[in-house]
Amino acid sequence: MISTRQQRASDNLAARTTEGAVGRYSAGFGIALGVTSLLNAILVIIKETYETAVLTAMTALTGHHWVSQGIIDLVVFLIMGIALGRIAERWQNSPGLILAWALGGPVIGAAAIASFYLK
C-alpha cells in the first residue's frame, strides 16, 4: 500500500515532468505554422516576380491566384502539422522553440513581403 506521503511525492513528480510540456500535435502544428508562413511569403514574392508564368498558372488553376495560394498553404500546413506531430517527441519539452517558430515565421514572412513591395 502506498502511503499518503509517497502518493504526494509521486503526484509532484508527475506534475513536474509534464509542466511546460506541449502536446505532440500542438508542437507539430506550431512549427508547421512558422514554416507555412515562410513558404507563403516566398510564394508571394515568386508569384509577383514571375507574373506571366506563376501568377497566370495559379489563376488558371482555381480562377484566382489567391485561392490557389490559400489551397497550397492549407495543404502544406496540414501535411506538415500531421507529419511533424508524429515525430514531435523531441520538441514537446521545448515550448520556447515552438513559440519561436509560431511567432517568428509570420513575423519574418510579413517582413519579407513588406520589404519586397517597399523596395
Side-chain angles (χ1 to χ4, degrees):
M1 176 143 254
I2 297 176
S3 71
T4 307
R5 186 178 201 169
Q6 289 172 327
Q7 183 63 39
R8 270 187 279 160
S10 175
D11 290 345
N12 287 341
L13 178 63
R16 271 187 265 130
T17 57
T18 59
E19 185 178 312
V22 178
R24 282 181 14 183
Y25 286 103
S26 297
F29 278 101
I31 293 170
L33 168 66
V35 173
T36 304
S37 296
L38 294 173
L39 171 75
N40 182 57
I42 292 167
L43 193 54
V44 166
I45 293 168
I46 289 172
K47 187 175 63 175
E48 295 298 324
T49 303
Y50 303 104
E51 284 186 34
T52 55
V54 178
L55 188 76
T56 305
M58 288 177 73
T59 301
L61 189 64
T62 61
H64 198 283
H65 60 95
W66 283 115
V67 174
S68 298
Q69 184 162 349
I71 291 170
I72 291 168
D73 288 340
L74 184 61
V75 168
V76 168
F77 176 71
L78 290 175
I79 290 172
M80 283 192 69
I82 292 168
L84 290 173
R86 292 183 179 179
I87 61 167
E89 290 87 20
R90 70 178 96 173
W91 302 308
Q92 284 183 286
N93 292 322
S94 302
L97 175 71
I98 298 162
L99 187 62
W101 273 103
L103 294 177
V107 169
I108 293 170
I113 292 170
S115 67
F116 173 76
Y117 282 116
L118 296 175
K119 63 178 179 170

